Amino acid sequence: MFCHLRPVRRLCLEKICPHWFLSSRTLSGAEAINALRPFYFAVHPDFFGQHPREREVNENSLKRLSVYLENLQKPGFKSLKPTQLTFYVRETEQNSSEGQEPFSTSGFRAVKFTLHTRDLLSTVLYILNSCSLSVEHIQSSNTNVRPQPLKEAKRMPDRPIKWDKSYYHFTGFKDPHEDPEQVSRMETTLTSWLDNNGKSAVKKLKNSLPLRKELDRLKGDLSHQLQLSDIRWQRSWGVAHRCSQLQSLGRLAQQNLETLKNAKGCTIIFTDRSGMSAVGHVMLGTMDVHHHWTKLFERLPSYFDLQRRLMLLEEQISYLLGGIQVVYIEELQPVLTLEEYYSLLDVFHNRLLKNRIPFHPRSLRGLQMILNSDRYAPSLHELGHFNIPSLCDPANLQWFILTKAQQARDNMKRKEELKVVENELIQASTKKFSLEKFYKEPSVSSIQMVDCCKRLLEQSLPYLQGMHLCISHFYSVMQDGDLCIPWNWKDGEAIK
């Protein structure tokens, strides 16, 4: 499954790509996204609501793939580091052919591949072939990719792609074959969905209560034993899965207690790879064995030293940029290790030293910036922080920050005001519906949460009493009874 497109690229591509590809390699960013639609349809996290671990793997891999594709489009790029990705691919008509790795009973299989391509077209084709998805639509739908006439080849007639109805439902694209009135009549509403799924959620929640108590006990015992600040999970794994991870960590603590005490005062996060995160949390990869975890705990003192150097680097960047604070926002940035984030900061700091920007000292205090490797133009986020590319031109950066500084301060003020309103609405909703727990996914913004809560408070929803409610982007009953509803849920007529 692992194929590196290096000096043998010509040989590899002849095996996996059509003849017309070898003579034409141009593809725009928009065309690449369009060509990858079958792939996105097969791996979209929203289809894995009942499988949180697989959903998280796909979410993280899609973020890394997005970075890879954007870097390919940057002007003057030379080469990218090989990027290893893992996806859980749903069974579809396109990828259910014989001779492929069998699908699990849940209807999906794991696919691993390493990207080391140099252009968008070869990347798209490599991804589709790795996932056993057709590439015919690229030839028929893209004007920049034209097949070369071959004597032995017969030209197949072009035909439009007809997607499954669920594709339009989850992607938000309009189905050209649907009757608008029929769509409005068939659209899922919050009350109808709760009527159909409420009893199932209550049953699952009730069955999970003993395990939830055990989870709280295990978390409390380990936090006390290792003197941890907190134990968290990167995404919504099931309660049984979380208990298993804590039990595994508990067994390791019995064997190597002194080594694990190196994490004193830290937050431990169970995620998909081991290391230390950009914000200093200890990441335990759930697929790693005890040996890998032990090695990580042994290395924590060296990580703490790197963390101190990183904080010093942030202060130096802040000084050079008029006192603007360098922050890392976990909810908005790709998951980076401490080493990766330090390298990113170091590259940016060196560019600033070579091209000094004459900011007045402390003139930008109170403002915030995050550093990105997947952008090539600075921007101002609606929450008030600056998105700064690590390789941006310092002169352009100075002009952009100075002209947007006041708008950034206004945005930050609105963010704080919005956060207060959001918290008040969450408390009001929790109280009105007697919810046991009310929370949102990190990808749901404060604006979306406020809109959702305001409309919820206008409803009468008896099914929510005593439940765990998560505001998300889709409807789902999680395996332990948590109810997931989209922030833009509909009731009655569809929201325009």
Side-chain angles (χ1 to χ4, degrees), residues 416-433:
E416 297 303 321
E417 294 171 347
L418 189 65
K419 196 66 182 176
V420 172
V421 174
E422 179 185 12
N423 290 334
E424 291 175 349
L425 288 171
I426 289 174
Q427 292 176 14
S429 300
T430 303
K431 182 178 180 180
K432 175 177 179 177
F433 301 113

Side-chain angles (χ1 to χ4, degrees), residues 297-331:
F297 283 107
E298 290 174 348
R299 293 180 56 200
L300 284 183
S302 63
Y303 274 119
F304 296 147
D305 179 63
L306 180 60
Q307 190 178 22
R308 286 188 288 269
R309 289 159 50 199
L310 184 146
M311 294 171 66
L312 179 61
L313 202 53
E314 288 179 332
E315 292 175 2
Q316 292 171 343
I317 292 173
S318 175
Y319 175 77
L320 293 172
L321 293 180
I324 191 170
Q325 182 185 9
V326 183
V327 296
Y328 181 89
I329 304 176
E330 294 178 271
E331 295 84 358

Side-chain angles (χ1 to χ4, degrees), residues 183-185 187-189 488-496:
V183 171
S184 179
R185 290 194 301 270
E187 197 155 27
T188 301
T189 65
N488 57 344
W489 52 270
K490 299 172 177 63
D491 196 66
E493 292 185 1
I495 297 173
K496 302 300 181 182

